Amino acid sequence: MAQGCVRGEDGQMHERLSVNVNDPVARTNMNWQVGADDQPKVVIVFHQPDPPPRRERTPEEIARQQKLMELARTRQALDRKEYKTEDLGTKQINGVTARGSRSTRTIPAGEEGNDQPLVVINETWRSKDLGLIGDGNQRRSKAWANHYRV
């Protein structure tokens, strides 16, 4: 549901309420636009086309998909190995207790077009009481750094 204004024929702004309903079973989208009592009420119904029929995958396609999934799992495992995480303890940030952690990832030379290894460091201080990050830094070698604080 959205609420907005439109300029009427009289040149004045008039409130308009718009309601959108998606019905995946009937495969329709309906949009109601409602304004003041003297304005027309408009309902627009969009019919979604039938999905194309599913075809059976060939054994080659299934094998290719399985190989891609295995490669993705291997890459995720390697990414996890590249990260080192350490606990930084607690500190006060504007009177709120926060626990810090630092994760460091070394990107080997040549992996991203780099001629030297890149070191990415993420330092985050989270407040358990507030449920949010209160302070943080992100550095990538000496190329750039970001700092944020709530």
Side-chain angles (χ1 to χ4, degrees):
M1 184 164 31
Q3 192 169 5
C5 293
V6 294
R7 188 171 305 280
E9 292 178 9
D10 59 0
Q12 300 294 317
M13 296 303 287
H14 298 278
E15 185 176 29
R16 180 187 296 183
L17 179 67
S18 177
V19 178
N20 191 14
V21 176
N22 178 38
D23 184 343
V25 175
R27 292 197 330 276
T28 57
N29 286 318
M30 292 169 273
N31 183 279
W32 285 269
Q33 295 179 0
V34 182
D37 289 338
D38 61 339
Q39 292 182 346
K41 311 309 185 238
V42 179
V43 177
I44 302 170
V45 179
F46 299 96
H47 296 275
Q48 301 169 6
D50 289 334
R54 289 192 67 168
R55 65 174 183 80
E56 292 296 318
R57 293 188 299 167
T58 65
E60 292 82 12
E61 290 172 324
I62 293 170
R64 182 175 176 269
Q65 183 66 34
Q66 288 173 339
K67 184 176 180 179
L68 289 172
M69 290 171 57
E70 182 60 32
L71 286 171
R73 282 192 292 269
T74 301
R75 179 66 190 159
Q76 288 173 348
L78 288 172
D79 283 348
R80 282 191 298 273
K81 282 180 158 181
E82 291 176 359
Y83 281 93
K84 294 178 185 165
T85 303
E86 61 183 293
D87 185 356
L88 300 176
T90 60
K91 76 174 184 179
Q92 293 287 314
I93 303 173
N94 296 330
V96 176
T97 303
R99 175 164 290 283
S101 65
R102 179 184 297 129
S103 65
T104 305
R105 176 181 178 222
T106 302
I107 302 169
E111 187 171 303
E112 293 186 4
N114 47 318
D115 56 354
Q116 298 289 321
L118 296 174
V119 179
V120 179
I121 302 169
N122 289 304
E123 188 175 292
T124 305
W125 294 87
R126 297 178 190 271
S127 166
K128 185 176 180 182
D129 296 337
L130 299 178
L132 54 83
I133 297 173
D135 195 10
N137 290 296
Q138 185 178 49
R139 296 184 301 277
R140 185 170 175 151
S141 294
K142 296 179 183 178
W144 54 266
N146 290 321
H147 179 84
Y148 48 91
R149 174 170 280 174
V150 175

